[in-house]
């Protein structure tokens, strides 16, 4: 029996299972005709049923809606929408294209999916993505609880779901490599490493064909659905199984004490510029969803990806907040990192706003209260807001930490004052806001740019494999190859590289703020100098598990720092302790090679930072030297205790770092610091030793 069409309801948006059927609701202000298409299979050449929506019966305000009884979860659907075809006025309706539901909770992608067919005139039914009806309540979360770690105990590991386990060396069953299920099996590795949160590169459904000819979009910064998990990352062929497999992953990570942060892309979509495909938003209500220029005939491009979402339009604002709420309430994620977040501060004409509505909507939403909100506080059009991003709860990717730490360790002049500020939470950047130390998210490498291995191995990018004649990717990498370009057999160069890698990791993990390390840096993953591997779904990008056997000493080094970093620190227990307040309270002193005599000159290449943690009854002495010769650093005098050496990156493993309680005593009133190295000493007050 064929289902009977009913009027349905405008709320909630999307496809909602209720009362023996499914309610569908869609916003389109300027559409003149809307058809709901129901499919039996993802590669059907025609819909099994077309449900026309009568404007007089199935439209309330600008919401088109209908209720179809007899449907159930797993039903495939899409829309055909007609309206004025006036590209010069920003109206780009195409009644021949099958469109995804902006609120669709699932997406089914046929084997023959074609981005080209969605870009050219004509019907694309057989090759189009379809939305999937999902019932989010049909899952047993058991006793799942977020670890809810405070920022002071958080260590973030930036990870690509597919890349983490896709390599054959992962030793997983081939059906699980590169999937959410595969990630579950590698959780023990994450626990051993000591990280407390994973930040997943985009997992919203994206268009893998949004890439140069012959390549695929690997990173995922090409979203086309803000509610559906990416199907290619699932080991299940069932479109319903994708959602549950993602939730299985979250639940397993929570049980291991690891939080899940999603890298979300709300600044643009995969529909590209004027020549791009019609997949969803363009064909539903183009002027609502996108920033347009020249009376609407061109797309504003503050993202560098062809278009820019009109994020402060009321409809798009609601879409973004509803998406975030869904991932928190129904998928149990713990936070979000917002790609090119500064775009969300722009109004419909592209002008930055002092109080962007969408950012305050996100921050003030009660469902999102307590989630970790992280901004990449810049965009591709030159807006740079590190230190000035709007709001009270946002943490920021501190791009200046990355640049200044790189410059210091490659020996650039004038970097000592800057690195000194960065290691104590960047008060010069954040102090004016009276924010907590952890507003600064510290990193040296991320997905975009050189891996840590390549940062110390290449002076120039090597992006020829991307097919763009090495024009893509950043030319300003602030890297130093240590004396040879690329791999070398020279033991002296390799020794410097080993030390530099540890210098970067130690500085990132020991500085005040929230540290983030990139997947694979702890085992010296290389992309052979490619600093823009967004289209490299191959061993260039995949985590090579054999590197764990090649570089066990570096993995050990990172694990021991993480283990200490994530422990509860009684000196950081106060909630929302601002950078300024912490620095005012701390008993701290800057030093050079002589006590109390730091060298802030442009020619200086070293600094020491000493302080006391009163509640822990501990003193520490942190030395960073980018000088190319050894130096002797005077040490503060202690009474009734001894300096112990926890870290010295110049020493061979296992002396480069010791278990905290096994750190050897340092004799004398000074410490010999080798060239280009980091040293961390500590002393416990009134400690006694026994011969």
């Amino acid at each position: 029996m064929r289902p009977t069409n009913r009027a349905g309801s405008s709320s909630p948006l999307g496809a909602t299972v209720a009362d023996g059927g499914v309610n569908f609701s869609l916003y389109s202000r300027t559409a003149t005709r809307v058809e709901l298409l129901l499919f039996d299979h993802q590669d059907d050449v025609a819909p099994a049923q077309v449900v026309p929506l009568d404007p007089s019966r199935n439209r309330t305000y600008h919401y088109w809606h209908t209720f179809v009884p007899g449907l159930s979860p797993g039903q495939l659907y899409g829309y055909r929408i007609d309206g004025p075809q006036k590209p010069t006025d920003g109206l780009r309706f195409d009644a021949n294209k099958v469109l995804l539901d902006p609120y669709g909770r699932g997406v089914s992608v046929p084997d023959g999916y074609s981005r080209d067919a969605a870009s050219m005139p004509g019907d694309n039914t057989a090759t189009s993505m379809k939305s999937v009806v999902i019932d989010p309540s049909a899952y047993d979360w058991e006793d799942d609880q977020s670890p809810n770690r405070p920022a002071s105990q958080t260590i973030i590991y930036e990870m690509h779901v597919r890349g983490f386990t896709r390599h054959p060396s992962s030793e997983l069953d081939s059906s699980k490599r590169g999937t959410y299920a595969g990630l579950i099996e590698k959780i023990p590795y994450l626990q051993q490493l000591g990280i407390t949160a994973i930040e997943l590169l985009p997992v919203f459904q994206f268009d893998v064909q949004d890439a140069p000819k012959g390549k695929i979009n690997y990173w995922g910064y090409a979203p086309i659905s803000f509610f559906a998990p990416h199907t290619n990352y699932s080991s299940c062929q069932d479109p319903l199984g994708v959602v549950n497999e993602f939730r299985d992953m979250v639940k397993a990570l929570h049980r291991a004490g690891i939080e899940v942060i999603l890298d979300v892309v709300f600044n643009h979509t995969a529909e590209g510029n004027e020549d791009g495909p019609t997949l969803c938003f363009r064909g539903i209500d183009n002027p609502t969803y996108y920033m347009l220029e020249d009376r609407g005939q061109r797309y504003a491009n503050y993202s560098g990806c062809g278009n820019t979402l009109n994020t402060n339009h009321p409809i798009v604002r609601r879409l973004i907040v509803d998406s975030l709420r869904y991932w928190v309430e129904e998928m149990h994620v713990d936070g979000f990192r917002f790609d090119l977040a500064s775009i969300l501060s722009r109004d419909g004409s592209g002008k930055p706003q002092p109080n962007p509505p969408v950012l305050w909507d996100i921050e003030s939403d009660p469902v999102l209260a307590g989630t970790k909100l992280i901004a990449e506080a810049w965009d591709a059009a030159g807006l740079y807001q590190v230190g000035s991003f709007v709001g009270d709860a946002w943490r920021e990717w501190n791009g200046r930490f990355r640049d200044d730490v790189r410059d210091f360790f490659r020996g650039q002049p004038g970097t000592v004052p800057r690195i000194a500020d960065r290691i104590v939470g960047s008060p010069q950047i954040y102090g004016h806001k009276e924010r907590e130390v952890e507003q600064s998210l510290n990193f040296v490498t991320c997905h975009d740019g050189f891996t840590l291995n390549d940062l110390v191995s290449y002076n120039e990018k090597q992006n020829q494999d991307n097919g763009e004649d090495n024009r893509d990717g950043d030319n300003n990498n602030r890297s130093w190859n240590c004396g040879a370009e690329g791999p070398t057999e020279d033991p002296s160069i390799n020794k410097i590289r080993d030390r530099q890698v540890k210098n970067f990791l130690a500085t990132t993990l020991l500085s005040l703020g929230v540290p983030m390390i990139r997947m694979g840096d702890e085992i010296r993953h290389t992309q052979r100098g490619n600093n823009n591997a967004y289209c490299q779904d191959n061993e260039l990008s995949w985590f090579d598990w054999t590197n764990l056997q090649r570089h066990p000493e570096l993995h050990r080094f990172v694990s021991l720092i993480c283990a200490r970093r994530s422990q509860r620190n009684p000196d950081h227990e106060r909630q929302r302790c601002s950078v300024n307040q912490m620095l005012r309270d701390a008993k701290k002193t800057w030093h050079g090679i002589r006590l109390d005599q730091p060298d802030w000159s442009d020619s200086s290449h070293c600094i020491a930072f000493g302080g006391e943690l009163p509640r822990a009854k501990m003193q520490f002495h942190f030395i960073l030297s980018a000088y190319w010769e050894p130096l002797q650093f005077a040490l503060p005098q202690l009474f009734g205790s001894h300096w112990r050496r926890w870290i010295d990156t110049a020493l061979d493993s296992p002396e480069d770092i010791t278990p905290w309680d096994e750190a050897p005593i340092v004799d004398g009133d000074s410490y010999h610091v080798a060239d280009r190295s980091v040293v961390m000493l500590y002393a416990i007050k009134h400690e006694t030793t026994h011969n």
Side-chain angles (χ1 to χ4, degrees), residues 423-676:
I423 65 177
V424 295
S426 298
Q428 292 179 1
I429 299 174
Y430 298 112
H432 69 284
K433 299 187 89 172
E434 287 293 336
R435 287 287 306 279
E436 63 271 25
V437 174
E438 288 79 22
Q439 181 174 4
S440 175
L441 193 147
N442 302 328
F443 69 105
V444 170
T445 60
C446 65
H447 67 278
D448 188 4
F450 280 146
T451 67
L452 190 51
N453 178 85
D454 294 355
L455 186 67
V456 302
S457 304
Y458 293 88
N459 286 346
E460 305 295 335
K461 65 184 182 182
Q462 305 293 328
N463 295 357
Q464 292 83 358
D465 288 344
N466 296 351
E468 300 181 47
D469 296 324
N470 207 34
R471 295 189 303 270
D472 64 305
D474 198 344
N475 293 315
N476 184 23
N477 293 289
R478 291 181 162 88
S479 61
W480 177 48
N481 64 18
C482 300
E485 190 73 355
T488 179
E489 297 300 320
D490 187 322
S492 62
I493 292 176
N494 284 326
K495 187 171 184 177
I496 296 174
R497 288 178 178 177
D498 288 342
R499 191 178 303 176
Q500 288 284 75
V501 165
K502 289 186 285 186
N503 290 341
F504 283 123
L505 287 167
T507 303
T508 302
L509 290 167
L510 294 176
S511 295
L512 297 181
V514 177
M516 183 186 80
I517 59 177
R518 170 184 172 148
M519 178 185 85
D521 277 353
E522 75 279 11
I523 54 171
R524 297 284 297 273
H525 175 73
T526 179
Q527 291 177 173
R528 300 195 295 274
N530 191 319
N531 74 348
N532 189 35
Y534 76 101
C535 58
Q536 299 293 332
D537 184 14
N538 51 49
E539 294 190 9
L540 194 73
S541 299
W542 300 339
F543 188 102
D544 184 348
W545 291 85
T546 63
N547 281 334
L548 186 57
Q549 283 73 52
R550 295 189 187 97
H551 301 286
E553 74 291 339
L554 183 60
H555 181 272
R556 172 184 177 274
F557 183 85
V558 174
S559 299
L560 285 174
I561 299 181
C562 287
R564 185 66 191 177
R565 169 88 198 208
S566 60
Q567 288 182 353
R568 296 181 65 209
N569 186 336
D571 288 274
H572 293 168
E573 291 291 301
R574 293 166 297 179
Q575 287 193 339
R576 297 186 63 79
C577 172
S578 72
V579 177
N580 288 349
Q581 185 65 45
M582 195 215 69
L583 293 178
R584 281 195 295 266
D585 293 348
K587 297 179 179 179
K588 66 184 188 307
T589 310
W590 293 105
H591 307 280
I593 56 175
R594 298 181 180 88
L595 295 176
D596 303 310
Q597 297 182 42
D599 184 354
W600 303 112
S601 69
D602 283 354
S603 60
S604 175
H605 295 281
C606 62
I607 190 71
F609 175 60
E612 182 177 346
L613 302 176
R615 299 187 191 183
K617 298 181 179 180
M618 186 185 82
Q619 291 177 260
F620 66 88
H621 204 69
F622 189 26
I623 305 170
L624 297 91
S625 178
Y627 196 56
W628 41 89
E629 293 181 3
L631 296 170
Q632 198 77 15
F633 279 76
L635 298 178
Q637 188 174 4
L638 297 172
F639 297 95
S641 58
H642 306 270
W643 285 112
R644 291 183 176 273
R645 186 197 73 232
W646 181 38
I647 294 172
D648 185 338
T649 61
L651 300 178
D652 293 333
S653 182
E655 299 302 317
D656 55 348
I657 183 171
T658 64
W660 182 263
D661 295 331
E662 299 174 17
I665 290 174
V666 173
D667 293 322
D669 56 5
S670 65
Y671 190 87
H672 179 84
V673 177
D675 57 292
R676 299 186 177 92

